[in-house]
């Protein structure tokens, strides 16, 4: 298993802590081969909150893109896997909102072929939630992959699958051209 901790200074930030807990609760609901499995949310002895998740052997997509464009076949397989994982999230009322190469791990363990796995639902918006966890501004977005409706300040609960699909298109563009959109 892998543990994701937040720093002690961020643990003092009530808004950030709420986002962190939201990430865990959203991700624990999801079970799909193309999503990193989150199994628990807990606190260390010093009170630091953490998420326990599946350990994924393999690089993130950003590292793979450091060498330039990928083959069409590989880019297509990665984009398809990410889209399948997002489909599972969307079916559970969860919009990821931050699809980018850093949030796509390329699992290479167990001698099988490469399996893209989506992680970090830290700014995900649960459509069923009655409270707004995060606002669309500043550090909440990765500009190169954010859909126009996110930039325009659309409320989290109003977002649907389209911003995620927009971001997948941006990631696919980068995989094929080697350039950030």
């Amino acid at each position: 298993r892998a543990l994701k901790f937040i720093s002690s200074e961020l643990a003092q930030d009530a808004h950030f802590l709420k986002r962190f807990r939201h990430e865990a609760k959203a991700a624990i609901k999801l079970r799909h081969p193309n999503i990193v499995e989150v199994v628990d949310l807990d606190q260390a002895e010093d009170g630091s909150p953490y998420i326990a998740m599946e350990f994924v052997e393999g690089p993130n997509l950003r590292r793979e893109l450091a060498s330039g464009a990928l083959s069409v076949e590989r880019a297509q397989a990665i984009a398809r896997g990410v889209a399948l994982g997002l489909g599972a999230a969307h079916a559970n009322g969860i919009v990821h909102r931050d699809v980018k190469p850093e949030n796509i791990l390329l699992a290479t363990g167990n001698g099988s072929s490469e399996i893209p796995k989506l992680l970090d639902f830290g700014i995900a918006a649960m459509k069923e939630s009655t409270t707004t966890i995060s606002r669309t501004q500043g550090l909440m977005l990765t500009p190169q992959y954010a859909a126009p409706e996110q930039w325009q300040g659309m409320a989290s609960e109003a977002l649907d699958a389209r911003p995620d699909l927009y971001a997948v298109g941006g990631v696919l563009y980068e995989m094929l051209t080697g350039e950030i959109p």
Side-chain angles (χ1 to χ4, degrees), residues 34-126:
N34 296 108
I35 296 175
V36 173
E37 182 180 354
V38 174
V39 295
D40 197 14
L41 167 67
D42 207 344
Q43 287 186 333
E45 290 179 11
D46 69 356
S48 302
Y50 68 86
I51 295 173
M53 64 183 76
E54 158 189 21
F55 177 79
V56 177
E57 189 175 326
N60 70 28
L61 181 57
R62 172 62 60 220
R63 190 169 121 201
E64 290 297 292
L65 289 170
S67 302
L70 306 180
S71 71
V72 171
E73 295 79 15
R74 187 174 182 206
Q76 179 184 22
I78 292 169
R80 183 177 191 281
V82 170
L84 289 170
L86 287 170
H90 298 157
N92 280 288
I94 299 169
V95 180
H96 189 282
R97 292 182 60 195
D98 197 26
V99 177
K100 59 186 177 183
E102 292 83 354
N103 287 338
I104 300 168
L105 297 179
L106 303 173
T108 58
N110 299 331
S112 63
S113 60
E114 180 177 79
I115 300 170
K117 289 186 168 270
L118 191 58
L119 78 150
D120 197 1
F121 284 79
I123 63 170
M126 297 189 73

Side-chain angles (χ1 to χ4, degrees), residues 153-171:
M154 183 179 281
S156 295
E157 62 272 5
L159 291 174
D160 57 17
R162 290 177 281 188
D164 286 347
L165 296 178
Y166 181 95
V168 171
V171 171

Side-chain angles (χ1 to χ4, degrees), residues 114-170:
E114 180 177 79
I115 300 170
K117 289 186 168 270
L118 191 58
L119 78 150
D120 197 1
F121 284 79
I123 63 170
M126 297 189 73
K127 290 169 68 175
E128 298 165 341
S129 177
T130 57
T131 59
T132 302
I133 299 299
S134 57
R135 288 176 280 142
T136 306
Q137 47 180 258
L139 298 176
M140 301 295 289
L141 298 173
T142 302
Q144 298 87 344
Y145 308 96
E149 55 267 39
Q150 290 176 283
W151 282 106
Q152 293 169 352
M154 183 179 281
S156 295
E157 62 272 5
L159 291 174
D160 57 17
R162 290 177 281 188
D164 286 347
L165 296 178
Y166 181 95
V168 171

